Amino acid sequence: MTVYEGYKPVIGLEVHAQLTTDSKMFCGCKVSYGASPNSRTCPVCLGLPGALPILNKKAVEYALRMILAVGGEVALHSVFTRKNYFYPDLPKGYQISQYSQPVGRGGEIKYSLENGRTKNCRLNRIHLEEDAGKSLHPSSKERYTRLDFNRCGVPLIEIVSEPDLKSPEDAYSYLNKLKQILQCLEICSADMEKGHLRCDANVSVLPKGKKKLGVRTEVKNLNSFKGVKRALKYEIARQIKILRAGGTVKPVTLWWDENRRAARLMRTKETSEDYRYFPEPDLWPLAIDMPWLDSIRRSLKELPDHKYNRLVKQYKIRPYDARILAADRLLADYFENVIACYNNSRDVVNWITTEILGILDETNESITEFKISPAMLAELLKSIDDGIISGRTARQVFREMAATGNSAARIITSRGLRQITDKKVLLKEVDKVITANPKQVEKYRSGKTALLDFFIGEVMKSTQGRANPELVSDLLIQLLKK
Amino acid sequence: MPLSQIPQIPYIPYMPDYQDMTACQIAEYVKAGRMSAVDIARQALALAQSEGHNLNAFITLCEDKALAQVATVDKKVRAGEFVAKRASRRTGNSAEISAGALAGVPIAVKDNISYTGYPTTCGSKMLETYIPPFDATVMERLIDAGAVIIGKTNMDEFAMGSSSETSYFGPVKHPLDPKLSPGGSSGGSAAAVARGIVPLALGSETGGSVRQPASFCGLYGLKPTYGAVSRYGLVAYCSSSDVIAPFARTAEDLAVLYSVIAGHDMRDATSLAGDHPDYISCLKTDRKFKIGIPKQYFAWELSCQVSPVLNQAIESLEKAGHEFYDISLPLTNKAIATHYIIAPAEASSNLARFDGVRFGFRTAGETDLKQMYLRTRSEGFGDEVKRRIMLGTYVLSAGYYDTYYLKAARVRELIRREFENAFKEVDLIITPTTPTPAFKLGEKLKDPLAMYLCDVFTVPSSLAGVPAISVPFGTVPAADSSLKLPVGVQFIAPYMGEKALFQIASILEHLKE
């Protein structure tokens, strides 16, 4: 690549994903976003003296889903560890995490770049840990910080990649794929802007031809996909600039400021924290039994790559369409639910990729909020096949269905949109058009048969599009011959 | 509830003094309506105020709640609720005990066990004002059994000490001689029972904090199997060794109190599942025990001071048909070093939450966060606590973890195995509880190592997680007075072997008579 002339960026990502369990990792408090501050807390997650953690099995199950999905190795025996540091939103003065014996090791994530090229990023580890609370600094005028412990103790998995990503674009696509997998497994909402996903990046640059990795820096506070790209570009450029000037990169931790589009120094290696990890004595080591693991493996949701292959094979749809569906599990589910009632995959996929995605884009809704159920869409498509409405009318009906949630049949009846197939009625309309356009009739009869479409159009116009086009065509051909 | 509203039970002409009675007797009398729980509680509270004050045994008296509790107990007695009924299993207690096993029995509880409505100070300035919003599991079980919580007892700050002198609220005094220490860290609980203010008390053990004061004060003290009693609500010092532990004046009382508090608890992940036997009915036994005498515990030069009592105990038991075997526990002399790496390491982490942010003490007028942390913790903790936090921080820090913490953890595992192997040969192990009888206040305060060595005989079983008991058996003359000071004999049992401990305690109790 020419952008970094002479240098190769090397990037590894550490992604924290908030798990969507009902309750927190070590207590029964509900996980909920937007609840009033500190209303979702108890002695355990507030770290009151004498309170003790009890592990949420669901959180472990979610972590196992992820490890299995990326082909990682599940440790049947792993250890919770205390990571000790002082911060006001960390009530116990330590975070319960995993360190030298994580629950998952290895695995990989395949991702595609925008140009369609597929790449692979190996994973180092996946481990479980609890989230901290939130410090809110309302304004510079107020001489205090507000603490909200609702988030404290929410289960997280940390997904640590190997330094296999070679550009900000790689990182961007990797994150997108990670998001798809997390959503597909139904373990994380994966909305980075809402903080469900948080990302730290380890960055170094390697002069071309050299083998030994350069000094790496860590960039924190990356909280949007685009922000990750921007921050990485910034940091790579900064490091290359230092090296070109003959300097050396220092192993520092940087804080990305999205507003200023710049990173500031957070800490140097000399002042880095010593977390004094040691095994959490309040919890026994985590033992996972094989039958449970097998049952999780069996119930694992289909992953995007598998889904893509299956959709192409099973429904014979175009790869382009299959990729769109496979990237969004809910959209793919919608597709398959329609197919269950209406077996024409080409038609269905066209309606989804053009009409439905178009409307969702306009209304900014998700497919789950969409008012037309798969069965309702199938009914609409059937009424085209049955000649009840024309394809053109169908689009009009579809719009109204999406807006009101009413069924196709109801809209067709109440608006009188049913196709006219009665020959007597159509004959009358055809007659009217022929009588009203003597010149065109003349031309048609003298050989300009292409004018047939004009006559069909006129009949459709006079019937507000309700006339059955095939019947109209047949009648016109008959009558114009005379 | 105001006193005037507490219903009085009918006048009974003969009323024995509760101080002369065992907890079991008190409960029987109260349940039979022959004694009023209200009267006992009032007397106990009055004694706690006078005698307890002299000994500095209590930090807080729980008068309001105690009087409300006794009113409930007396009401239940009149409603006949305690008649021939087994205990409810509501609290998940798997030990078989009769309902109201502690009906109307006044009890004192160490001030590191959470109890709503009153401060849980841990003997520290840091928590002087902290009132927990929840009850420890053991408190629920005590109240369920009809016990009446009289007060929270004084202790070494955060249970770090062996003399009850490091308390922010001043040292506890020995009931026999105010110049002596009752031992520690559960010294307040021991003094309250020894002085007769309460027949029972709860302490907590990490390395000997109940057995040692029990030995000094002539009481029965049990260190249960790790995990047998829920730690939920016990302010953590060393989570992997901490266990709530009972004091009593008789073996039977000890067994009853233990039956009430033991059992699985969903709120403590390290709590042990599994059934407990009926500890009370099994007290009377013809069983002849095979008892090991570990030579390492007797080679200790200091132990010669207490060895006459030990030898007497061994002789009596031998005469009664129990067999003694010489055994070897070579890692015994590594236990103190191991414990004083692991315990401070965990403490440095467990005590991190006392940072002035959310509860407890916070230094005044500091606006910078780091300075607030530093000053709060410098001003809020005493010297011994700071010493252990620093030790613990050091042994966990990068570059030292493997040398200290990891090595200690491995030695601990070896000590555990050493006990496991020993119990393949014998049922119980007999040792002195402490190397000396009660020592003087101030004697060891300036010499931390001498203080740590008080626990030399109790720490190994704490590290191994196995249960142990201190049984009072005889006295030795004090060095510089005419006093005779009590000395305890320690028995160590295999994992979950409390039954054998209560039996041997009961056997010795009868031999003493």
Side-chain angles (χ1 to χ4, degrees):
Chain A
M1 264 190 288
T2 51
V3 202
Y4 305 125
E5 243 165 305
Y7 291 93
K8 245 166 56 186
V10 179
I11 301 161
L13 294 182
E14 290 169 17
V15 176
H16 290 88
Q18 262 182 1
L19 302 179
T20 47
T21 51
D22 290 336
S23 55
K24 292 187 181 181
M25 185 140 167
F26 296 117
C27 62
C29 289
K30 285 259 172 287
V31 173
S32 72
Y33 304 101
S36 73
N38 298 310
S39 62
R40 298 286 187 268
T41 57
C42 73
V44 176
C45 56
L46 286 176
L48 294 186
L52 295 169
I54 297 292
L55 181 61
N56 180 346
K57 196 174 177 188
K58 208 79 197 170
V60 180
E61 186 191 323
Y62 282 14
L64 295 179
R65 279 191 206 168
M66 185 63 184
I67 298 162
L68 293 173
V70 297
E73 189 189 325
V74 172
L76 297 181
H77 175 99
S78 66
V79 173
F80 285 102
T81 303
R82 289 189 186 178
K83 179 179 179 178
N84 296 283
Y85 64 94
F86 285 94
Y87 203 70
D89 59 25
L90 188 74
K92 297 190 296 293
Y94 57 84
Q95 177 194 31
I96 304 178
S97 178
Q98 295 193 302
Y99 185 57
S100 56
Q101 292 171 269
V103 65
R105 279 192 195 279
E108 59 181 23
I109 288 179
K110 282 202 185 75
Y111 59 94
S112 331
L113 293 166
E114 272 167 23
N115 63 17
R117 216 179 124 208
T118 317
K119 283 183 146 190
N120 196 23
C121 180
R122 291 167 303 148
L123 298 182
N124 177 286
R125 58 190 274 143
I126 293 174
H127 74 241
L128 275 159
E129 61 184 32
E130 56 174 345
D131 211 341
K134 259 185 190 163
S135 296
L136 305 159
H137 312 277
S139 75
S140 52
K141 265 186 223 158
E142 289 186 55
R143 291 173 55 82
Y144 54 84
T145 297
R146 293 165 190 263
L147 294 171
D148 179 3
F149 293 103
N150 281 352
R151 198 181 71 180
C152 198
V154 169
L156 302 175
I157 47 172
E158 182 171 337
I159 304 147
V160 182
S161 86
E162 294 290 353
D164 286 355
L165 305 164
K166 303 298 179 209
S167 68
E169 290 73 22
D170 279 6
Y172 182 81
S173 304
Y174 165 85
L175 279 176
N176 262 308
K177 187 56 174 286
L178 195 62
K179 175 181 173 171
Q180 281 174 24
I181 296 172
L182 290 166
Q183 286 178 335
C184 173
L185 296 171
E186 297 179 305
I187 60 174
C188 174
S189 314
D191 191 337
M192 210 169 169
E193 278 74 10
K194 286 187 184 152
H196 304 150
L197 275 188
R198 272 165 272 152
C199 179
D200 300 335
N202 288 299
V203 187
S204 65
V205 296
L206 182 66
K208 281 249 163 84
K210 292 258 172 80
K211 286 250 169 69
K212 197 172 164 279
L213 286 176
V215 175
R216 80 193 153 118
T217 61
E218 190 177 359
V219 190
K220 286 188 173 285
N221 194 39
L222 306 176
N223 36 34
S224 74
F225 281 75
K226 286 186 179 134
V228 172
K229 223 190 215 175
R230 272 195 285 269
L232 288 172
K233 278 185 182 156
Y234 172 94
E235 178 55 13
I236 291 163
R238 188 187 72 89
Q239 290 190 13
I240 291 175
K241 201 174 153 195
I242 292 173
L243 293 177
R244 281 206 179 120
T248 49
V249 175
K250 292 201 177 78
V252 293
T253 301
L254 300 162
W255 183 263
W256 176 249
D257 184 339
E258 182 65 28
N259 293 326
R260 287 177 46 233
R261 301 271 161 94
R264 65 177 162 77
L265 185 67
M266 199 174 143
R267 55 177 178 246
T268 62
K269 202 185 174 200
E270 291 74 42
T271 60
S272 75
E273 292 248 21
D274 179 353
Y275 292 118
R276 294 176 285 122
Y277 292 100
F278 75 103
E280 164 60 280
D282 287 332
L283 295 165
W284 297 124
L286 176 59
I288 289 157
D289 62 87
M290 283 309 281
W292 188 48
L293 186 62
D294 286 339
S295 77
I296 294 168
R297 199 194 306 271
R298 278 196 300 275
S299 62
L300 212 56
K301 288 271 193 292
E302 189 182 30
L303 286 174
D305 289 347
H306 296 134
K307 183 160 282 193
Y308 167 81
N309 289 331
R310 185 175 61 82
L311 290 175
V312 171
K313 226 169 135 187
Q314 188 176 342
Y315 301 109
K316 312 267 181 302
I317 57 174
R318 289 179 302 168
Y320 174 82
D321 293 330
R323 202 166 289 131
I324 293 176
L325 294 179
D328 185 340
R329 186 180 55 78
L330 296 172
L331 199 64
D333 285 352
Y334 187 93
F335 166 77
E336 297 206 80
N337 286 335
V338 181
I339 293 289
C341 317
Y342 179 80
N343 197 8
N344 182 336
S345 54
R346 290 263 170 112
D347 273 8
V348 174
V349 86
N350 281 338
W351 273 81
I352 289 177
T353 53
T354 54
E355 305 300 326
I356 293 185
L357 288 182
I359 284 192
L360 292 181
D361 202 40
E362 275 170 36
T363 56
N364 222 350
E365 278 176 336
S366 74
I367 188 74
T368 47
E369 298 163 294
F370 190 53
K371 289 206 180 73
I372 304 177
S373 71
M376 287 162 72
L377 181 67
E379 186 207 335
L380 177 70
L381 299 185
K382 259 184 218 153
S383 51
I384 304 173
D385 288 357
D386 296 347
I388 295 169
I389 50 170
S390 67
R392 196 174 124 180
T393 310
R395 284 184 172 74
Q396 183 191 337
V397 174
F398 174 81
R399 292 251 147 202
E400 193 167 334
M401 287 166 78
T404 62
N406 288 335
S407 73
R410 192 169 154 194
I411 293 166
I412 291 166
T413 317
S414 67
R415 299 220 171 258
L417 296 174
R418 183 174 280 272
Q419 218 169 40
I420 303 164
T421 48
D422 185 333
K423 278 200 180 174
K424 275 181 203 156
V425 180
L426 289 178
L427 203 57
K428 237 196 234 163
E429 296 296 324
V430 170
D431 263 342
K432 259 195 249 165
V433 170
I434 289 177
T435 333
N437 299 287
K439 276 186 194 164
Q440 277 79 2
V441 172
E442 207 53 41
K443 279 186 189 165
Y444 180 89
R445 287 189 174 147
S446 63
K448 247 196 151 183
T449 51
L451 275 169
L452 182 64
D453 283 349
F454 162 78
F455 290 109
I456 295 174
E458 286 301 299
V459 177
M460 295 312 278
K461 230 189 262 170
S462 71
T463 58
Q464 291 94 42
R466 292 169 53 215
N468 180 313
E470 282 93 50
L471 289 177
V472 170
S473 167
D474 289 350
L475 286 172
L476 277 167
I477 291 168
Q478 277 177 37
L479 289 175
L480 287 169
K481 267 185 194 162
K482 287 170 192 169
Chain B
M1 189 186 287
L3 282 177
S4 58
Q5 281 178 24
I6 297 171
Q8 298 288 314
I9 65 165
Y11 173 71
I12 299 152
Y14 167 71
M15 177 137 162
D17 186 349
Y18 87 93
Q19 281 189 274
D20 302 331
M21 301 164 74
T22 68
C24 295
Q25 288 167 338
I26 294 172
E28 284 314 309
Y29 272 62
V30 167
K31 282 194 276 186
R34 294 176 63 190
M35 277 174 96
S36 148
V38 173
D39 289 347
I40 300 168
R42 285 211 185 106
Q43 290 171 41
L45 283 163
L47 258 183
Q49 221 141 34
S50 54
E51 294 294 324
H53 180 78
N54 293 339
L55 298 172
N56 200 19
F58 289 88
I59 293 174
T60 309
L61 293 184
C62 308
E63 184 164 356
D64 293 354
K65 277 177 93 170
L67 293 176
Q69 279 161 14
V70 280
T72 313
V73 170
D74 280 343
K75 210 155 100 194
K76 281 188 180 173
V77 169
R78 279 195 304 274
E81 278 185 43
F82 290 139
V83 182
K85 223 171 88 181
R86 302 307 269 182
S88 79
R89 287 175 180 260
R90 189 172 61 81
T91 50
N93 195 339
S94 47
E96 277 282 310
I97 43 158
S98 57
L102 297 176
V105 176
I107 185 166
V109 175
K110 192 176 182 180
D111 206 20
N112 58 353
I113 298 173
S114 303
Y115 188 38
T116 50
Y118 300 97
T120 293
T121 69
C122 294
S124 181
K125 180 181 179 184
M126 193 58 105
L127 291 180
E128 194 177 1
T129 58
Y130 166 69
I131 297 175
F134 65 99
D135 279 338
T137 299
V138 290
M139 299 309 271
E140 288 179 2
R141 291 187 178 178
L142 284 179
I143 292 164
D144 214 41
V148 181
I149 321 297
I150 294 299
K152 304 293 294 292
T153 58
N154 202 353
M155 56 184 280
D156 278 301
E157 187 179 7
F158 286 103
M160 296 177 186
S162 306
S163 65
S164 301
E165 291 170 285
T166 67
S167 170
Y168 173 66
F169 304 95
V172 183
K173 288 160 197 159
H174 197 292
L176 289 178
D177 179 352
K179 290 195 290 295
L180 293 179
S181 163
S185 65
S186 313
S189 286
V193 178
R195 177 59 193 82
I197 300 168
V198 284
L200 297 174
L202 287 186
S204 71
E205 268 259 9
T206 306
S209 283
V210 162
R211 284 167 288 170
Q212 185 246 28
S215 174
F216 283 10
C217 295
L219 303 172
Y220 290 82
L222 173 77
K223 184 211 89 85
T225 303
Y226 178 74
V229 181
S230 170
R231 289 187 292 124
Y232 190 78
L234 170 70
V235 181
Y237 157 27
C238 172
S239 310
S240 67
S241 304
D242 287 346
V243 53
I244 291 174
F247 287 103
R249 288 197 299 256
T250 69
E252 189 188 14
D253 277 5
L254 194 72
V256 171
L257 179 51
Y258 178 67
S259 303
V260 167
I261 61 172
H264 182 247
D265 180 15
M266 292 289 290
R267 289 174 292 189
D268 176 359
T270 60
S271 157
L272 296 172
D275 285 340
H276 289 257
D278 180 343
Y279 295 115
I280 295 111
S281 68
C282 72
L283 277 177
K284 283 197 187 78
T285 178
D286 296 329
R287 190 172 169 195
K288 301 299 174 204
F289 287 98
K290 283 198 266 180
I291 302 168
I293 304 176
K295 58 181 179 204
Q296 288 80 5
Y297 284 70
F298 290 84
W300 196 261
E301 54 176 322
L302 283 173
S303 65
C304 59
Q305 224 183 318
V306 298
S307 53
V309 176
L310 253 291
N311 293 335
Q312 214 183 324
I314 293 170
E315 223 170 89
S316 320
L317 286 169
E318 219 162 15
K319 262 189 216 157
H322 303 277
E323 292 167 30
F324 285 85
Y325 298 86
D326 287 329
I327 61 164
S328 180
L329 298 168
L331 288 169
T332 302
N333 64 352
K334 302 281 187 281
I336 286 285
T338 305
H339 174 72
Y340 278 97
I341 288 171
I342 291 172
E346 292 187 24
S348 72
S349 174
N350 282 329
L351 270 61
R353 69 191 67 194
F354 307 115
D355 57 5
V357 173
R358 289 151 300 126
F359 53 81
F361 173 75
R362 183 197 287 189
T363 191
E366 191 54 72
T367 53
D368 177 76
L369 178 66
K370 196 173 168 192
Q371 286 305 314
M372 190 282 281
Y373 281 150
L374 287 172
R375 282 186 48 198
T376 296
R377 290 169 66 82
S378 298
E379 294 161 24
F381 289 136
D383 286 348
E384 185 57 32
V385 173
K386 283 185 223 171
R387 181 177 296 123
R388 294 193 196 188
I389 289 174
M390 284 189 278
L391 262 173
T393 304
Y394 179 78
V395 299
L396 287 177
S397 55
Y400 297 97
Y401 178 86
D402 289 1
T403 325
Y404 293 104
Y405 182 84
L406 200 60
K407 189 171 273 180
R410 285 184 184 142
V411 174
R412 178 182 206 169
E413 186 48 40
L414 293 177
I415 292 173
R416 212 190 303 261
R417 273 187 233 164
E418 198 168 89
F419 275 107
E420 225 172 75
N421 287 331
F423 286 122
K424 285 176 187 159
E425 314 292 326
V426 295
D427 304 319
L428 293 166
I429 294 169
I430 187 170
T431 83
T433 306
T434 54
T436 66
F439 51 82
K440 279 196 191 125
L441 287 169
E443 191 181 314
K444 301 191 180 196
L445 204 53
K446 295 287 167 233
D447 185 355
L449 200 59
M451 191 73 92
Y452 296 172
L453 286 172
C454 293
D455 300 333
V456 65
F457 299 145
T458 46
V459 154
S461 42
S462 288
L463 284 169
V466 294
I469 197 169
S470 181
V471 181
F473 195 80
T475 54
V476 296
D480 53 0
S481 73
S482 58
L483 275 177
K484 293 217 167 235
L485 297 176
V487 163
V489 178
Q490 175 176 239
F491 292 91
I492 306 168
Y495 210 61
M496 291 295 270
E498 278 83 351
K499 180 175 149 187
L501 293 179
F502 293 131
Q503 287 175 331
I504 198 76
S506 177
I507 290 167
L508 262 191
E509 194 171 37
H510 288 103
L511 288 176
K512 205 162 58 170
E513 287 159 7

